[in-house]
C-alpha cells in the first residue's frame, strides 16, 4: 500500500496497515533548501526542491504543495508584507478601502503566484506518483476577512446580506482555485479556514456552512477528496464543521484529539492532527517529539486518522524532531520503546563508577528486551557471537529499558535509540544490526588503544 | 442603581449601539448606548457613575461570557462598538477631570508582527473596563514602548505576538523595558505564548483572554 492509497483509504474510513502521516511543510521547505520564505514562495523550483527534500527526510504519506493563505488575497488586491521566516502577511483590505465587491472578478490561472503553485504541483505529481499531494485553498471566511478586514465581524449583524454576497464570491474563488489544483494533479483539496475559530456555531452555520459545503461538493463531484483545516480554538464549531461533509477535518493542539475523534467516528468522517507545533516540534527535542507522536498515534487509532501537525510547520522546526516523528510512524518498535520511556524524566542516570575494568572491553547493549523485540534480539546475538572469539577479555551486558536500571544505564551512556551497542561507553552501533566482522573490528580497535 | 444605567449596561453587554442599529434583534427599535449615555448625562447623572455603574458592568459581563465560550469575537466587537459610542460622550468629562480612568495601559503587537485582531480586542476590553488605552499599533519596537512609558509614568504594558518567530522579539522588548524602567509591569498574550514563556522572559502576567488582562490590571493598578 503506498501513501496515496493509504490516505484515500483513511478518507473512505477503511482499515489501513498503519496510520498515515502528513507533515504540513510550508516555509519550512525553504529552510530545507537554504532560502528565506519570500524566495521560497516565489519560485516553483524552490518549492519542488523543498518538498522533495521533505519527502526524502520525513517519508510522508501525503504533503501540501504550498502552504500560503495569502495567494488568492494578493491576486484580489490585498497588499502583502513579506518576511524571511513566515508566509507573507496581508496588510490592506481593499473592500474596507472603498473598492466595490462588484468590481472584483474571479482570478485566472495566469494571475499572481498561481503559475508557481500549479507548476510545482505538476512537477511533484510527476516525481511522486505515490504521495498524496494536498492543494491548499484559503477558506472563504478567511479570504473574506483578508478582503474586508475585521469589519466583517460586525457586518455579520449589521449587514448580513453583504456578508452573504462576499462569502459567495470567496466561495467561487475557492472552487476555481480548487479546479486548477486538481487539474494540475492534486489528490486532496484542503480548505484552510482558521478565522472561523473566532465565531460561534450559529454564525458558522449561517455564514460559513452553506458556502464551504459547495467547495466540498465540488471536490466530491471531481472524484477527489477534501479536508477542512482549522487552527485555533474552534472546539465550539467542530460539530457544525463535520456537518459541512468534508472527507476529513484536521485540527490543532487547541482542540483535544479525543473530543474530535468521538464526533468524527459518530459522523463517519476521518480526522487528523494535532502534534503540538511550538511547544514540542519547534522548541522541544527529539524525545519530546517522539512522545508527542506516540501519544497522538495511540489516541488517534487506525481507523480514519491521519497524523499531522496542528498547522503549517514553523520554518525553523528542527529536522531531527520531524524525523523522530516519522520514525514513530514507520517503526512499531520505535513506538514501543517510546512508550516504555514514559517515566524517564524522573530518573537519575546510573553511576558508572566501577563499571569499567582495566584490561577488559566492556560492551553494553541497550535494548527494549531481546526476548520481545526482534531487532534487539539480533543485535544481542550478533554481539555475543562476535565477543565469544575474545575469550574472557570482552564482557557483554544487555540492559533492558523495561527496567528502571536499564533506563538509568541508557541515560548514563547518553543513548537515544534502541537497540544501541556501546563499546567502552561509546555508542558504536545504533539501530542497525552490524555484521560480525564489523563488531570484531570495533572491539579490536578499542583493544589496540 | 438608576434604571437608565442598568439599561445602558444591557446595551453594552448585548452590543446595542444606537436606535438605528438592527442588532440585537430583541432590542430592535429601542434606544442604544449612544442615546442612553447622552440622556444619562443630560439628566445630571455623574459621569463617573455612568462609566462605573453603566458601561463597565456591561463590558465585564461580555468579557466573562467570552471567557466561558458563550459569545465569540463578533459579539465582543459589537459590545466594544457600543462602548466606543458611549465613550465619545464621556471623553470631555475625562478631559475636564469630572470622571477619572483607573490607569493607563499601553499596548502593541511586537516588532516583526502585523497581527492586530487579538491586540484590538484586548485594547477595547481594557478601555471598556475604565482604563485609558494607548494603542501603539503593530510592529512596535522597544524604543516606542519606552517612549510611551516615559510620557505616561506608571502605565502597564501589554505585548501581543501571533508568530513563533516574533516571540523572540517579545522577550527582547520585555527585557529592554525592564532595564529602562524596572518598575513597569508587563503582561503578554497571543496564540503561541503561554505561562511558562511568560516566566521565562520575566514578564509579569500572561492571559489567554482579554478579561484576564482586565483582572490583572484591576488587582495591580486600580
Amino acid at each position: 500500500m503506498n501513501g496515496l492509497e493509504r490516505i484515500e483509504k483513511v478518507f473512505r474510513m477503511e482499515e489501513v496497515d498503519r496510520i498515515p502521516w502528513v507533515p504540513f511543510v510550508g516555509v519550512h521547505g525553504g529552510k530545507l533548501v537554504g532560502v528565506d520564505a519570500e524566495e521560497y514562495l516565489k519560485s516553483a523550483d524552490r518549492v519542488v526542491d523543498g518538498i522533495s527534500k521533505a519527502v526524502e527526510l520525513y517519508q510522508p504519506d501525503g504533503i501540501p504543495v504550498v502552504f500560503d493563505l495569502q495567494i488568492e488575497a494578493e491576486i484580489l488586491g490585498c497588499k502583502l508584507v513579506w518576511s524571511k521566516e513566515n508566509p507573507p502577511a496581508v496588510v490592506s483590505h481593499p473592500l474596507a478601502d472603498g473598492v466595490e465587491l462588484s468590481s472584483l472578478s474571479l482570478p485566472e490561472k495566469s494571475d499572481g503566484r498561481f503559475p508557481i503553485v500549479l507548476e510545482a504541483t505538476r512537477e511533484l505529481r510527476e516525481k511522486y506518483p505515490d504521495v498524496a499531494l494536498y492543494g491548499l485553498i484559503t477558506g472563504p471566511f478567511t479570504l473574506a476577512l483578508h478582503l474586508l478586514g475585521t469589519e466583517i465581524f460586525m457586518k455579520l449583524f449589521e449587514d448580513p446580506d453583504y456578508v452573504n454576497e462576499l462569502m459567495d464570491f470567496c466561495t467561487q474563488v475557492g472552487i476555481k482555485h480548487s479546479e486548477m489544483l486538481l487539474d494540475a494533479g492534486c489528490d486532496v483539496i484542503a480548505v484552510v479556514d482558521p478565522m472561523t475559530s473566532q465565531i460561534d456555531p450559529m454564525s458558522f452555520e449561517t455564514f460559513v456552512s452553506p458556502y464551504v459545503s459547495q467547495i466540498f461538493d465540488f471536490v466530491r463531484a471531481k472524484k477527489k477528496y477534501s479536508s477542512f483545516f482549522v487552527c485555533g480554538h474552534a472546539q465550539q464549531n467542530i460539530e457544525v464543521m463535520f456537518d459541512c461533509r468534508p472527507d476529513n477535518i484536521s485540527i490543532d493542539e487547541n482542540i483535544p484529539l479525543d473530543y474530535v475523534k468521538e464526533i468524527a467516528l459518530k459522523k463517519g468522517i476521518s480526522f487528523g492532527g494535532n502534534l503540538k507545533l511550538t511547544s514540542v516540534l519547534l522548541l522541544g527535542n527529539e524525545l519530546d517529539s517522539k512522545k508527542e507522536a506516540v501519544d497522538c498515534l495511540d489516541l488517534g487509532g487506525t481507523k480514519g486518522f491521519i497524523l499531522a501537525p496542528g498547522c503549517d510547520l514553523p520554518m525553523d522546526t528542527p529536522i531531527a524532531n520531524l524525523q523522530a516523528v516519522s520514525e514513530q510512524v514507520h517503526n512499531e518498535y520505535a513506538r514501543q520503546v517510546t512508550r516504555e520511556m514514559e517515566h524517564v524524566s524522573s530518573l537519575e542516570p546510573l553511576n558508572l563508577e566501577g563499571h569499567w575494568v582495566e584490561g577488559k572491553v566492556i560492551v553494553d547493549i541497550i535494548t527494549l528486551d531481546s526476548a520481545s523485540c526482534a531487532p534487539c534480539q539480533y543485535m544481542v546475538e550478533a554481539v555475543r557471537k562476535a565477543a565469544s572469539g575474545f575469550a574472557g577479555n570482552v564482557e557483554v551486558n544487555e540492559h533492558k529499558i523495561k527496567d528502571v536500571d536499564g533506563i538509568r544505564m541508557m541515560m548514563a551512556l547518553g543513548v537515544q535509540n534502541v537497540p544501541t551497542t556501546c563499546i567502552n561507553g561509546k555508542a558504536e552501533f545504533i539501530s542497525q544490526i552490524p555484521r560480525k566482522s564489523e563488531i570484531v573490528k570495533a572491539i579490536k580497535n578499542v583493544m589496540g588503544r | 442603581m438608576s434604571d437608565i444605567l442598568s439599561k445602558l449596561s444591557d446595551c453594552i453587554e448585548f452590543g446595542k449601539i444606537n436606535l438605528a442599529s438592527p442588532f440585537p434583534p430583541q432590542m430592535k427599535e429601542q434606544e442604544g448606548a449612544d442615546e442612553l449615555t447622552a440622556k444619562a448625562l443630560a439628566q445630571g447623572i455623574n459621569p463617573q457613575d455612568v462609566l462605573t455603574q453603566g458601561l463597565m458592568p456591561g463590558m465585564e459581563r461580555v468579557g466573562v461570557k467570552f471567557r466561558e465560550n458563550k459569545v465569540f469575537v463578533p459579539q465582543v466587537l459589537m459590545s466594544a462598538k457600543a462602548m466606543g459610542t458611549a465613550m465619545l460622550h464621556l471623553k470631555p468629562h475625562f478631559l475636564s477631570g469630572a470622571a477619572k480612568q483607573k490607569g493607563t495601559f499601553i499596548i502593541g503587537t511586537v516588532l516583526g508582527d502585523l497581527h492586530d485582531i487579538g491586540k484590538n480586542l484586548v485594547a477595547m476590553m481594557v478601555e471598556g473596563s475604565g482604563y485609558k488605552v494607548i494603542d501603539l499599533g503593530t510592529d512596535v519596537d522597544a524604543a516606542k514602548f519606552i517612549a510611551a512609558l516615559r510620557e505616561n509614568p506608571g502605565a502597564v504594558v501589554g505585548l501581543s505576538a501571533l508568530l513563533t518567530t516574533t516571540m523572540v522579539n517579545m522577550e527582547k522588548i520585555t527585557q529592554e523595558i525592564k532595564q529602562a524602567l524596572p518598575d513597569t509591569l508587563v503582561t503578554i498574550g497571543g496564540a503561541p505564548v503561554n505561562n511558562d514563556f511568560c516566566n521565562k522572559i520575566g514578564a509579569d502576567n500572561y492571559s489567554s483572554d482579554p478579561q484576564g488582562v482586565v483582572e490583572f490590571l484591576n488587582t495591580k493598578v486600580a
Side-chain angles (χ1 to χ4, degrees), chain A residues 150-166:
Chain A
T150 37
E151 186 68 10
I152 192 170
F153 291 121
M154 286 169 277
K155 285 260 198 277
L156 299 180
F157 305 119
E158 296 181 315
D159 198 351
D161 291 345
Y162 181 79
V163 175
N164 280 318
E165 212 180 309
L166 176 57

Side-chain angles (χ1 to χ4, degrees), chain A residues 86 157-158 198 200 236 278, chain B residues 23 72-75 81 164-165:
Chain A
N86 289 292
F157 305 119
E158 296 181 315
Q198 302 303 311
D200 55 286
Q236 77 277 6
T278 48
Chain B
F23 183 83
F72 292 84
V73 169
Q75 290 86 353
K81 200 166 172 179
T164 51
T165 47

Side-chain angles (χ1 to χ4, degrees), chain A residues 81 83 85-86 89-91 145 150-151 153-159 195 197-201 203 233 236 254 278-279 282-283 314-316, chain B residues 17 21-23 66 69-78 81 112 114-117 120-121 163-167 191-194 197 208:
Chain A
V81 169
S83 71
E85 295 170 309
N86 289 292
V90 164
V91 293
L145 198 115
T150 37
E151 186 68 10
F153 291 121
M154 286 169 277
K155 285 260 198 277
L156 299 180
F157 305 119
E158 296 181 315
D159 198 351
M195 292 317 297
S197 64
Q198 302 303 311
I199 64 175
D200 55 286
S203 298
H233 295 272
Q236 77 277 6
N254 286 304
T278 48
S279 58
L282 177 66
L283 304 171
M315 189 161 193
D316 273 331
Chain B
I17 296 162
S21 169
F23 183 83
F66 183 71
N69 282 338
K70 288 181 179 149
V71 299
F72 292 84
V73 169
Q75 290 86 353
V76 177
L77 286 175
M78 291 305 282
K81 200 166 172 179
L114 298 156
H115 295 82
D116 65 356
I117 296 180
N120 291 347
L121 276 180
L163 301 170
T164 51
T165 47
T166 51
M167 285 165 70
V193 185
N194 57 31
F197 183 73
S208 60

